[in-house]
Amino acid sequence: MSGILHKQDPNAIRATGTLEKRTPGDQAVQIILYILIALIALLCVLPFIYVIAGSFATEQELTERPFFLIPHEFSLNAYSYILKDGSVFRGLRNSLLVTVVGTMINMFVSCTLAYPLSRGYLKGRNGFINMVIVTMLFSGGMVPSYILIMNILNLGNTYWALWLPGAMSAFNMIIIKNYFQGLPNELEEAAIIDGSNDLITFVRIILPLSTPVLASVALFYAVGHWNAYFNAMMYINDPDMELMTIVLRRMVFLTNKITQDSTFDWGAAGMPPAKSIKMATTVVATVPMLCIYPFVQKYFTQGIMVGSVKG
């Protein structure tokens, strides 16, 4: 049977798995779909390419050419401006620390809460779930949160002010809970028969089987920490602890004053325009997170789709 299948025309195998000869109309529709998908993908990628190209362009080219993908004159002045004082590297280091530690805290709290709530035999389970859902609908507000963090907990100028208030997202926890809930109960029963306790079952059985949803939710948490802006601006006043977002915000605000900077040699390409600096800051702030995505992309769709419908 396998030999017969190998001899079949690949075009004769439909997506449904049946062996039927594709008509010219089917092949034409498939070609049209491929072209449409390619065009949509290209439209999504073009803005990113333009931002990258604009960050290497000169002021004259950005003024004369409203859109381009390859600059005529290559210039590193925008990157020289944002990197010359070293604050960007300090911001990258701080953002990396906040992202890594914060994501670990988020995943620990979310997983340890999602596992018991996914078990139907937990007493008061529905009450605990309702308590979590309430936090998705109501919050104390900005002023009470500020008073709690700064005056009561005294977490000002510490990264704990960024980690503890958002230690868990109710939405992400529910996604993990639904995924845990969809795993066969027989696995846990077999582990208990073999002498396993709840902790060993959770660590050695549940977590390894939940890699797709864990990778997807961890990516959500990591992107949130990397893009943290408002809380970092409110609770962090020490320049040495500034995150990347705050450093880039300050640079963007100072671009209207770069014409007064006569202490830096911009070279033959001239002074970088404000638009080019904004594009360069966008590239610097975005590329590190884009480097993480290839490691989790194969789990991303599977984890979110399955985790959202199970349970």
Side-chain angles (χ1 to χ4, degrees), residues 7-64:
K7 294 180 180 179
Q8 294 289 339
D9 183 4
N11 292 328
I13 302 178
R14 288 181 176 270
T16 58
T18 61
L19 296 177
E20 298 180 12
K21 183 65 177 179
R22 287 184 176 177
T23 64
D26 291 338
Q27 296 179 3
V29 170
Q30 187 177 27
I31 293 174
I32 293 175
L33 290 177
Y34 284 152
I35 294 175
L36 288 177
I37 293 174
L39 290 176
I40 293 174
L42 183 62
L43 290 176
C44 295
V45 173
L46 283 180
F48 294 97
I49 299 178
Y50 171 67
V51 170
I52 296 175
S55 66
F56 292 103
T58 60
E59 182 176 9
Q60 181 180 359
E61 187 168 5
L62 285 171
T63 303
E64 297 176 351

Short mmCIF file of all heavy atoms in Angstrom, two decimals, residues 7-64:
data_model
loop_
_atom_site.label_atom_id
_atom_site.label_comp_id
_atom_site.label_asym_id
_atom_site.label_seq_id
_atom_site.Cartn_x
_atom_site.Cartn_y
_atom_site.Cartn_z
N LYS A 7 3.76 6.22 -5.52
CA LYS A 7 3.70 6.40 -6.95
C LYS A 7 2.64 7.39 -7.38
O LYS A 7 2.60 7.79 -8.54
CB LYS A 7 3.43 5.03 -7.63
CG LYS A 7 4.57 4.03 -7.47
CD LYS A 7 4.24 2.73 -8.14
CE LYS A 7 5.39 1.73 -7.97
NZ LYS A 7 5.07 0.43 -8.61
N GLN A 8 1.77 7.77 -6.45
CA GLN A 8 0.71 8.71 -6.80
C GLN A 8 1.27 10.10 -7.02
O GLN A 8 2.29 10.49 -6.45
CB GLN A 8 -0.34 8.75 -5.67
CG GLN A 8 -1.12 7.46 -5.49
CD GLN A 8 -2.08 7.21 -6.62
OE1 GLN A 8 -2.46 8.14 -7.34
NE2 GLN A 8 -2.46 5.95 -6.82
N ASP A 9 0.60 10.83 -7.90
CA ASP A 9 0.95 12.23 -8.14
C ASP A 9 0.69 13.03 -6.87
O ASP A 9 -0.41 12.95 -6.31
CB ASP A 9 0.12 12.77 -9.29
CG ASP A 9 0.50 14.20 -9.64
OD1 ASP A 9 1.45 14.72 -9.02
OD2 ASP A 9 -0.16 14.80 -10.51
N PRO A 10 1.68 13.81 -6.36
CA PRO A 10 1.43 14.61 -5.15
C PRO A 10 0.23 15.51 -5.29
O PRO A 10 -0.46 15.81 -4.31
CB PRO A 10 2.72 15.41 -4.98
CG PRO A 10 3.76 14.60 -5.70
CD PRO A 10 3.04 13.97 -6.85
N ASN A 11 -0.05 15.99 -6.49
CA ASN A 11 -1.21 16.86 -6.68
C ASN A 11 -2.52 16.11 -6.56
O ASN A 11 -3.59 16.72 -6.49
CB ASN A 11 -1.15 17.53 -8.06
CG ASN A 11 -0.01 18.52 -8.14
OD1 ASN A 11 0.35 19.15 -7.15
ND2 ASN A 11 0.56 18.66 -9.33
N ALA A 12 -2.45 14.77 -6.54
CA ALA A 12 -3.68 13.99 -6.46
C ALA A 12 -4.14 13.80 -5.03
O ALA A 12 -5.22 13.30 -4.79
CB ALA A 12 -3.47 12.62 -7.12
N ILE A 13 -3.32 14.19 -4.06
CA ILE A 13 -3.67 14.03 -2.64
C ILE A 13 -4.27 15.33 -2.14
O ILE A 13 -3.59 16.35 -2.10
CB ILE A 13 -2.45 13.63 -1.81
CG1 ILE A 13 -1.84 12.34 -2.36
CG2 ILE A 13 -2.84 13.47 -0.36
CD1 ILE A 13 -0.60 11.92 -1.63
N ARG A 14 -5.53 15.30 -1.78
CA ARG A 14 -6.20 16.49 -1.29
C ARG A 14 -5.84 16.74 0.17
O ARG A 14 -5.28 15.88 0.85
CB ARG A 14 -7.71 16.37 -1.43
CG ARG A 14 -8.21 16.44 -2.88
CD ARG A 14 -9.73 16.34 -2.91
NE ARG A 14 -10.22 16.51 -4.26
CZ ARG A 14 -10.55 17.69 -4.76
NH1 ARG A 14 -10.42 18.78 -4.03
NH2 ARG A 14 -11.00 17.77 -6.00
N ALA A 15 -6.20 17.91 0.66
CA ALA A 15 -5.97 18.23 2.06
C ALA A 15 -6.76 17.32 2.98
O ALA A 15 -6.42 17.12 4.13
CB ALA A 15 -6.32 19.70 2.33
N THR A 16 -7.88 16.75 2.47
CA THR A 16 -8.71 15.86 3.28
C THR A 16 -8.09 14.48 3.44
O THR A 16 -8.59 13.66 4.21
CB THR A 16 -10.09 15.71 2.63
OG1 THR A 16 -9.95 15.21 1.30
CG2 THR A 16 -10.82 17.05 2.59
N GLY A 17 -7.02 14.19 2.70
CA GLY A 17 -6.37 12.89 2.80
C GLY A 17 -6.85 11.89 1.77
O GLY A 17 -6.33 10.79 1.69
N THR A 18 -7.85 12.24 0.98
CA THR A 18 -8.36 11.33 -0.04
C THR A 18 -7.55 11.45 -1.32
O THR A 18 -6.98 12.50 -1.60
CB THR A 18 -9.84 11.62 -0.34
OG1 THR A 18 -9.95 12.97 -0.82
CG2 THR A 18 -10.69 11.46 0.91
N LEU A 19 -7.51 10.38 -2.09
CA LEU A 19 -6.77 10.36 -3.34
C LEU A 19 -7.72 10.72 -4.48
O LEU A 19 -8.45 9.86 -4.99
CB LEU A 19 -6.14 8.98 -3.57
CG LEU A 19 -5.09 8.55 -2.53
CD1 LEU A 19 -4.60 7.15 -2.83
CD2 LEU A 19 -3.94 9.53 -2.53
N GLU A 20 -7.75 11.97 -4.87
CA GLU A 20 -8.59 12.43 -5.96
C GLU A 20 -7.76 13.35 -6.85
O GLU A 20 -6.97 14.14 -6.37
CB GLU A 20 -9.81 13.19 -5.44
CG GLU A 20 -10.73 12.35 -4.56
CD GLU A 20 -11.92 13.14 -4.07
OE1 GLU A 20 -12.14 14.26 -4.59
OE2 GLU A 20 -12.61 12.66 -3.17
N LYS A 21 -7.98 13.23 -8.13
CA LYS A 21 -7.26 14.05 -9.08
C LYS A 21 -7.74 15.49 -8.98
O LYS A 21 -8.93 15.77 -9.03
CB LYS A 21 -7.49 13.52 -10.51
CG LYS A 21 -6.70 14.27 -11.58
CD LYS A 21 -5.21 14.09 -11.41
CE LYS A 21 -4.44 14.79 -12.52
NZ LYS A 21 -2.99 14.63 -12.34
N ARG A 22 -6.81 16.40 -8.80
CA ARG A 22 -7.18 17.81 -8.71
C ARG A 22 -7.52 18.34 -10.08
O ARG A 22 -6.79 18.14 -11.05
CB ARG A 22 -6.03 18.62 -8.12
CG ARG A 22 -5.84 18.39 -6.63
CD ARG A 22 -4.76 19.28 -6.08
NE ARG A 22 -4.63 19.13 -4.66
CZ ARG A 22 -3.72 19.75 -3.91
NH1 ARG A 22 -2.86 20.56 -4.51
NH2 ARG A 22 -3.67 19.58 -2.62
N THR A 23 -8.62 19.03 -10.13
CA THR A 23 -9.05 19.64 -11.38
C THR A 23 -8.25 20.90 -11.63
O THR A 23 -7.68 21.49 -10.70
CB THR A 23 -10.55 19.97 -11.33
OG1 THR A 23 -10.76 20.96 -10.30
CG2 THR A 23 -11.37 18.72 -11.01
N PRO A 24 -8.20 21.38 -12.88
CA PRO A 24 -7.52 22.65 -13.15
C PRO A 24 -8.09 23.81 -12.34
O PRO A 24 -7.36 24.72 -11.95
CB PRO A 24 -7.74 22.84 -14.66
CG PRO A 24 -7.92 21.46 -15.19
CD PRO A 24 -8.64 20.71 -14.11
N GLY A 25 -9.39 23.76 -12.07
CA GLY A 25 -9.99 24.82 -11.25
C GLY A 25 -9.45 24.81 -9.83
O GLY A 25 -9.17 25.87 -9.24
N ASP A 26 -9.29 23.60 -9.26
CA ASP A 26 -8.73 23.50 -7.90
C ASP A 26 -7.30 24.03 -7.86
O ASP A 26 -6.91 24.72 -6.92
CB ASP A 26 -8.75 22.04 -7.43
CG ASP A 26 -10.15 21.54 -7.19
OD1 ASP A 26 -11.04 22.38 -6.97
OD2 ASP A 26 -10.34 20.31 -7.22
N GLN A 27 -6.51 23.68 -8.85
CA GLN A 27 -5.13 24.15 -8.89
C GLN A 27 -5.07 25.66 -9.05
O GLN A 27 -4.23 26.33 -8.44
CB GLN A 27 -4.39 23.47 -10.04
CG GLN A 27 -4.27 21.96 -9.87
CD GLN A 27 -3.56 21.31 -11.03
OE1 GLN A 27 -3.10 21.98 -11.97
NE2 GLN A 27 -3.47 19.98 -10.99
N ALA A 28 -5.97 26.24 -9.87
CA ALA A 28 -5.99 27.70 -10.04
C ALA A 28 -6.36 28.39 -8.73
O ALA A 28 -5.76 29.41 -8.37
CB ALA A 28 -6.97 28.07 -11.15
N VAL A 29 -7.35 27.83 -8.01
CA VAL A 29 -7.74 28.43 -6.72
C VAL A 29 -6.59 28.36 -5.73
O VAL A 29 -6.33 29.31 -4.97
CB VAL A 29 -8.99 27.70 -6.17
CG1 VAL A 29 -9.25 28.13 -4.73
CG2 VAL A 29 -10.20 27.98 -7.03
N GLN A 30 -5.86 27.23 -5.73
CA GLN A 30 -4.72 27.10 -4.82
C GLN A 30 -3.64 28.12 -5.13
O GLN A 30 -3.05 28.72 -4.23
CB GLN A 30 -4.15 25.69 -4.90
CG GLN A 30 -3.06 25.42 -3.86
CD GLN A 30 -2.57 23.99 -3.92
OE1 GLN A 30 -2.64 23.37 -4.98
NE2 GLN A 30 -2.10 23.48 -2.80
N ILE A 31 -3.37 28.36 -6.39
CA ILE A 31 -2.37 29.35 -6.79
C ILE A 31 -2.80 30.75 -6.35
O ILE A 31 -2.00 31.53 -5.84
CB ILE A 31 -2.13 29.29 -8.31
CG1 ILE A 31 -1.47 27.96 -8.69
CG2 ILE A 31 -1.26 30.46 -8.76
CD1 ILE A 31 -1.33 27.77 -10.18
N ILE A 32 -4.08 31.04 -6.55
CA ILE A 32 -4.59 32.36 -6.14
C ILE A 32 -4.47 32.55 -4.63
O ILE A 32 -4.08 33.61 -4.14
CB ILE A 32 -6.05 32.52 -6.60
CG1 ILE A 32 -6.13 32.57 -8.13
CG2 ILE A 32 -6.67 33.79 -6.00
CD1 ILE A 32 -7.54 32.61 -8.67
N LEU A 33 -4.78 31.50 -3.87
CA LEU A 33 -4.65 31.58 -2.41
C LEU A 33 -3.21 31.82 -1.99
O LEU A 33 -2.93 32.62 -1.09
CB LEU A 33 -5.20 30.31 -1.78
CG LEU A 33 -6.72 30.11 -1.85
CD1 LEU A 33 -7.11 28.76 -1.25
CD2 LEU A 33 -7.44 31.22 -1.13
N TYR A 34 -2.27 31.12 -2.62
CA TYR A 34 -0.86 31.32 -2.31
C TYR A 34 -0.43 32.76 -2.60
O TYR A 34 0.30 33.38 -1.83
CB TYR A 34 0.01 30.35 -3.12
CG TYR A 34 0.01 28.93 -2.60
CD1 TYR A 34 0.22 27.85 -3.45
CD2 TYR A 34 -0.19 28.68 -1.25
CE1 TYR A 34 0.21 26.56 -2.97
CE2 TYR A 34 -0.19 27.38 -0.76
CZ TYR A 34 0.00 26.33 -1.62
OH TYR A 34 0.01 25.05 -1.14
N ILE A 35 -0.90 33.30 -3.72
CA ILE A 35 -0.55 34.67 -4.07
C ILE A 35 -1.12 35.65 -3.07
O ILE A 35 -0.44 36.59 -2.62
CB ILE A 35 -1.03 34.99 -5.49
CG1 ILE A 35 -0.28 34.13 -6.53
CG2 ILE A 35 -0.84 36.47 -5.80
CD1 ILE A 35 -0.79 34.30 -7.95
N LEU A 36 -2.38 35.45 -2.66
CA LEU A 36 -3.01 36.34 -1.68
C LEU A 36 -2.28 36.29 -0.34
O LEU A 36 -2.03 37.32 0.29
CB LEU A 36 -4.48 35.97 -1.51
CG LEU A 36 -5.41 36.30 -2.68
CD1 LEU A 36 -6.83 35.80 -2.40
CD2 LEU A 36 -5.43 37.80 -2.94
N ILE A 37 -1.94 35.08 0.10
CA ILE A 37 -1.23 34.95 1.38
C ILE A 37 0.14 35.61 1.31
O ILE A 37 0.58 36.28 2.25
CB ILE A 37 -1.10 33.45 1.75
CG1 ILE A 37 -2.48 32.86 2.05
CG2 ILE A 37 -0.18 33.28 2.95
CD1 ILE A 37 -2.47 31.37 2.28
N ALA A 38 0.82 35.45 0.16
CA ALA A 38 2.13 36.08 0.00
C ALA A 38 2.02 37.61 0.03
O ALA A 38 2.84 38.29 0.63
CB ALA A 38 2.78 35.61 -1.29
N LEU A 39 0.97 38.14 -0.62
CA LEU A 39 0.78 39.59 -0.63
C LEU A 39 0.46 40.11 0.77
O LEU A 39 0.98 41.16 1.18
CB LEU A 39 -0.34 39.96 -1.60
CG LEU A 39 -0.04 39.77 -3.09
CD1 LEU A 39 -1.26 40.08 -3.93
CD2 LEU A 39 1.14 40.64 -3.52
N ILE A 40 -0.38 39.39 1.51
CA ILE A 40 -0.71 39.82 2.88
C ILE A 40 0.54 39.78 3.76
O ILE A 40 0.78 40.69 4.56
CB ILE A 40 -1.82 38.92 3.45
CG1 ILE A 40 -3.12 39.15 2.68
CG2 ILE A 40 -2.04 39.21 4.93
CD1 ILE A 40 -4.25 38.21 3.08
N ALA A 41 1.33 38.72 3.62
CA ALA A 41 2.57 38.63 4.40
C ALA A 41 3.53 39.76 4.04
O ALA A 41 4.17 40.34 4.92
CB ALA A 41 3.25 37.28 4.17
N LEU A 42 3.60 40.09 2.76
CA LEU A 42 4.47 41.18 2.33
C LEU A 42 4.00 42.52 2.90
O LEU A 42 4.81 43.34 3.33
CB LEU A 42 4.50 41.24 0.80
CG LEU A 42 5.44 42.28 0.18
CD1 LEU A 42 6.88 41.99 0.57
CD2 LEU A 42 5.28 42.29 -1.34
N LEU A 43 2.69 42.75 2.92
CA LEU A 43 2.16 43.99 3.48
C LEU A 43 2.46 44.10 4.97
O LEU A 43 2.63 45.20 5.50
CB LEU A 43 0.64 44.06 3.24
CG LEU A 43 0.18 44.27 1.81
CD1 LEU A 43 -1.33 44.22 1.72
CD2 LEU A 43 0.69 45.61 1.28
N CYS A 44 2.51 42.97 5.66
CA CYS A 44 2.83 42.99 7.09
C CYS A 44 4.32 43.25 7.33
O CYS A 44 4.68 43.85 8.35
CB CYS A 44 2.42 41.66 7.73
SG CYS A 44 0.65 41.33 7.73
N VAL A 45 5.17 42.81 6.42
CA VAL A 45 6.62 42.93 6.61
C VAL A 45 7.15 44.28 6.14
O VAL A 45 8.12 44.81 6.70
CB VAL A 45 7.33 41.78 5.88
CG1 VAL A 45 8.84 41.97 5.91
CG2 VAL A 45 6.95 40.44 6.49
N LEU A 46 6.52 44.88 5.13
CA LEU A 46 7.03 46.12 4.55
C LEU A 46 7.21 47.24 5.58
O LEU A 46 8.24 47.93 5.54
CB LEU A 46 6.12 46.57 3.41
CG LEU A 46 6.27 45.82 2.09
CD1 LEU A 46 5.31 46.36 1.05
CD2 LEU A 46 7.71 45.94 1.56
N PRO A 47 6.28 47.49 6.49
CA PRO A 47 6.50 48.57 7.46
C PRO A 47 7.75 48.36 8.32
O PRO A 47 8.47 49.32 8.63
CB PRO A 47 5.23 48.55 8.31
CG PRO A 47 4.19 47.94 7.43
CD PRO A 47 4.92 46.93 6.60
N PHE A 48 8.03 47.11 8.69
CA PHE A 48 9.22 46.83 9.49
C PHE A 48 10.49 47.09 8.67
O PHE A 48 11.47 47.63 9.20
CB PHE A 48 9.20 45.39 9.98
CG PHE A 48 8.09 45.09 10.95
CD1 PHE A 48 6.92 44.52 10.51
CD2 PHE A 48 8.22 45.39 12.29
CE1 PHE A 48 5.89 44.24 11.40
CE2 PHE A 48 7.21 45.12 13.18
CZ PHE A 48 6.04 44.55 12.73
N ILE A 49 10.46 46.69 7.41
CA ILE A 49 11.62 46.93 6.55
C ILE A 49 11.84 48.43 6.38
O ILE A 49 12.98 48.92 6.38
CB ILE A 49 11.43 46.24 5.19
CG1 ILE A 49 11.30 44.73 5.38
CG2 ILE A 49 12.60 46.55 4.27
CD1 ILE A 49 11.05 43.97 4.08
N TYR A 50 10.76 49.18 6.23
CA TYR A 50 10.89 50.63 6.07
C TYR A 50 11.47 51.27 7.33
O TYR A 50 12.31 52.19 7.24
CB TYR A 50 9.52 51.24 5.76
CG TYR A 50 9.51 52.74 5.81
CD1 TYR A 50 10.23 53.49 4.87
CD2 TYR A 50 8.81 53.43 6.79
CE1 TYR A 50 10.24 54.87 4.91
CE2 TYR A 50 8.80 54.81 6.83
CZ TYR A 50 9.52 55.53 5.90
OH TYR A 50 9.54 56.90 5.94
N VAL A 51 11.05 50.83 8.50
CA VAL A 51 11.60 51.39 9.74
C VAL A 51 13.10 51.10 9.84
O VAL A 51 13.90 51.98 10.20
CB VAL A 51 10.85 50.81 10.95
CG1 VAL A 51 11.56 51.17 12.25
CG2 VAL A 51 9.42 51.32 10.99
N ILE A 52 13.50 49.89 9.49
CA ILE A 52 14.92 49.54 9.54
C ILE A 52 15.72 50.36 8.53
O ILE A 52 16.79 50.89 8.83
CB ILE A 52 15.11 48.03 9.31
CG1 ILE A 52 14.46 47.22 10.42
CG2 ILE A 52 16.60 47.69 9.20
CD1 ILE A 52 14.49 45.73 10.20
N ALA A 53 15.19 50.47 7.31
CA ALA A 53 15.87 51.24 6.28
C ALA A 53 15.94 52.72 6.65
O ALA A 53 16.97 53.38 6.45
CB ALA A 53 15.16 51.07 4.93
N GLY A 54 14.85 53.26 7.21
CA GLY A 54 14.84 54.67 7.61
C GLY A 54 15.81 54.98 8.73
O GLY A 54 16.33 56.10 8.81
N SER A 55 16.08 53.99 9.58
CA SER A 55 17.03 54.24 10.67
C SER A 55 18.45 54.41 10.16
O SER A 55 19.30 54.97 10.86
CB SER A 55 16.97 53.09 11.68
OG SER A 55 17.43 51.88 11.10
N PHE A 56 18.74 53.92 8.93
CA PHE A 56 20.06 54.06 8.34
C PHE A 56 20.10 55.17 7.28
O PHE A 56 21.10 55.31 6.59
CB PHE A 56 20.50 52.75 7.70
CG PHE A 56 20.75 51.64 8.67
CD1 PHE A 56 19.82 50.63 8.85
CD2 PHE A 56 21.92 51.61 9.42
CE1 PHE A 56 20.05 49.61 9.75
CE2 PHE A 56 22.15 50.58 10.33
CZ PHE A 56 21.21 49.59 10.50
N ALA A 57 19.03 55.93 7.13
CA ALA A 57 18.95 56.94 6.08
C ALA A 57 19.38 58.30 6.62
O ALA A 57 19.49 58.53 7.83
CB ALA A 57 17.54 57.02 5.51
N THR A 58 19.63 59.22 5.70
CA THR A 58 20.00 60.59 6.06
C THR A 58 18.75 61.47 6.09
O THR A 58 17.67 61.08 5.64
CB THR A 58 20.98 61.17 5.03
OG1 THR A 58 20.35 61.16 3.74
CG2 THR A 58 22.25 60.32 4.98
N GLU A 59 18.91 62.66 6.61
CA GLU A 59 17.79 63.58 6.73
C GLU A 59 17.25 63.96 5.35
O GLU A 59 16.03 64.02 5.15
CB GLU A 59 18.23 64.84 7.48
CG GLU A 59 17.11 65.84 7.69
CD GLU A 59 17.56 67.03 8.52
OE1 GLU A 59 18.77 67.13 8.79
OE2 GLU A 59 16.70 67.83 8.91
N GLN A 60 18.11 64.20 4.41
CA GLN A 60 17.67 64.58 3.07
C GLN A 60 16.85 63.48 2.41
O GLN A 60 15.81 63.74 1.80
CB GLN A 60 18.89 64.92 2.19
CG GLN A 60 18.52 65.36 0.77
CD GLN A 60 19.75 65.68 -0.06
OE1 GLN A 60 20.88 65.60 0.43
NE2 GLN A 60 19.54 66.05 -1.31
N GLU A 61 17.28 62.24 2.54
CA GLU A 61 16.57 61.14 1.91
C GLU A 61 15.21 60.93 2.57
O GLU A 61 14.22 60.65 1.87
CB GLU A 61 17.40 59.87 2.00
CG GLU A 61 16.81 58.71 1.21
CD GLU A 61 17.79 57.57 1.07
OE1 GLU A 61 18.89 57.63 1.66
OE2 GLU A 61 17.45 56.62 0.34
N LEU A 62 15.12 61.04 3.89
CA LEU A 62 13.84 60.89 4.55
C LEU A 62 12.87 62.00 4.18
O LEU A 62 11.65 61.81 4.17
CB LEU A 62 14.03 60.87 6.07
CG LEU A 62 14.61 59.57 6.66
CD1 LEU A 62 14.94 59.76 8.12
CD2 LEU A 62 13.62 58.43 6.48
N THR A 63 13.41 63.17 3.87
CA THR A 63 12.56 64.30 3.47
C THR A 63 12.09 64.15 2.03
O THR A 63 10.92 64.44 1.72
CB THR A 63 13.33 65.62 3.64
OG1 THR A 63 13.76 65.74 4.99
CG2 THR A 63 12.44 66.80 3.29
N GLU A 64 12.97 63.69 1.14
CA GLU A 64 12.64 63.63 -0.27
C GLU A 64 11.89 62.35 -0.67
O GLU A 64 11.11 62.36 -1.62
CB GLU A 64 13.91 63.74 -1.11
CG GLU A 64 14.64 65.07 -0.96
CD GLU A 64 15.93 65.10 -1.73
OE1 GLU A 64 16.33 64.02 -2.24
OE2 GLU A 64 16.55 66.18 -1.83
#
